[in-house]
Amino acid sequence: VILILTKYYHTDMGKVLESSLWRSSDFGTLYTKLNLQPGIATVIDNFYICPTNKKKIILVSSSHNDRDQSLFISTDEGATFQKQPITFFVETLLFHPKEEDKVLAYTKEGKVKCEHTLL
């Protein structure tokens, strides 16, 4: 599986205004644009692939008004995603080196959030 994240970054505003996530399951011959929330514009800021289980993918998304942020979690190489609302703004995520259902999040406020079981 190949995933490609495209972003439209507005320099003057200093943020991503649009993004698209594309998925190919045939070695890049055909790509499908993923729609995480039909009818709702979802901006994907970044995505992370678990180093110990390549089928597990976490997308970090934010709303257009920057008020809400969510994680979208896949356990099937991005074929499906489950939304996980969060109460903080993620700068970076790190998977636990041995327990794939735990991550460590560094927030945009400069704080480290404790490991959190996702699934």
Side-chain angles (χ1 to χ4, degrees):
V1 171
I2 299 171
L3 294 173
I4 297 175
L5 176 61
T6 61
K7 301 183 210 180
Y8 168 61
Y9 182 82
H10 193 283
T11 308
D12 293 339
M13 295 179 78
K15 66 179 185 174
V16 176
L17 298 180
E18 294 177 27
S19 68
S20 299
L21 184 65
W22 300 83
R23 182 180 187 270
S24 174
S25 58
D26 59 5
F27 302 101
T29 302
L30 296 173
Y31 284 89
T32 303
K33 183 177 178 181
L34 301 181
N35 189 357
L36 298 172
Q37 299 181 99
I40 299 173
T42 304
V43 177
I44 302 166
D45 299 316
N46 216 334
F47 72 91
Y48 301 88
I49 300 172
C50 179
T52 58
N53 179 358
K54 303 293 184 194
K55 292 183 177 188
K56 184 168 285 185
I57 300 165
I58 298 178
L59 307 176
V60 178
S61 74
S62 58
S63 61
H64 278 291
N65 60 11
D66 289 332
R67 286 186 169 165
D68 302 310
Q69 198 170 53
S70 297
L71 302 180
F72 286 87
I73 302 164
S74 175
T75 57
D76 56 9
E77 297 180 300
T80 61
F81 285 91
Q82 296 295 316
K83 184 177 180 179
Q84 174 75 45
I86 54 176
T87 59
F88 52 91
F89 289 89
V90 173
E91 182 70 29
T92 263
L93 280 179
L94 292 172
F95 279 91
H96 188 283
K98 295 180 181 154
E99 297 181 48
E100 67 184 56
D101 291 339
K102 292 184 179 180
V103 295
L104 187 67
Y106 182 75
T107 70
K108 290 187 177 186
E109 295 83 24
K111 298 177 182 176
V112 175
K113 294 292 182 179
C114 294
E115 293 177 359
H116 178 70
T117 301
L118 296 171
L119 295 174

